[in-house]
Amino acid sequence: MEQSHVSALQLKHAGLERQIHEEMSRPLPDLAMIQALKKRKLRIKEELSHF
């Protein structure tokens, strides 16, 4: 169970990284969205550090 949770968190982390990259690649990136995505990514990274 723990390994599947870690795998799910890693997938979410990668997905957020992709979303951040896509948003930053736009001509007029939404900085508020990028900031929110980075906060979510950081929370996941912190949770992963507990495993």
Side-chain angles (χ1 to χ4, degrees):
M1 164 91 174
E2 191 172 297
Q3 183 58 38
S4 64
H5 183 64
V6 170
S7 296
L9 288 174
Q10 289 172 334
L11 284 173
K12 286 181 186 179
H13 188 272
L16 288 169
E17 180 67 30
R18 181 183 45 75
Q19 284 181 281
I20 291 167
H21 180 71
E22 287 175 4
E23 187 63 32
M24 290 177 76
S25 297
R26 291 179 43 190
L28 292 171
D30 183 344
L31 298 179
M33 177 186 280
I34 291 171
Q35 185 177 23
L37 291 170
K38 285 184 176 184
K39 284 182 182 180
R40 287 175 49 199
K41 187 177 142 193
L42 181 59
R43 277 191 227 112
I44 290 172
K45 184 177 180 181
E46 288 173 350
E47 191 172 344
L48 279 169
S49 72
H50 291 59
F51 290 99

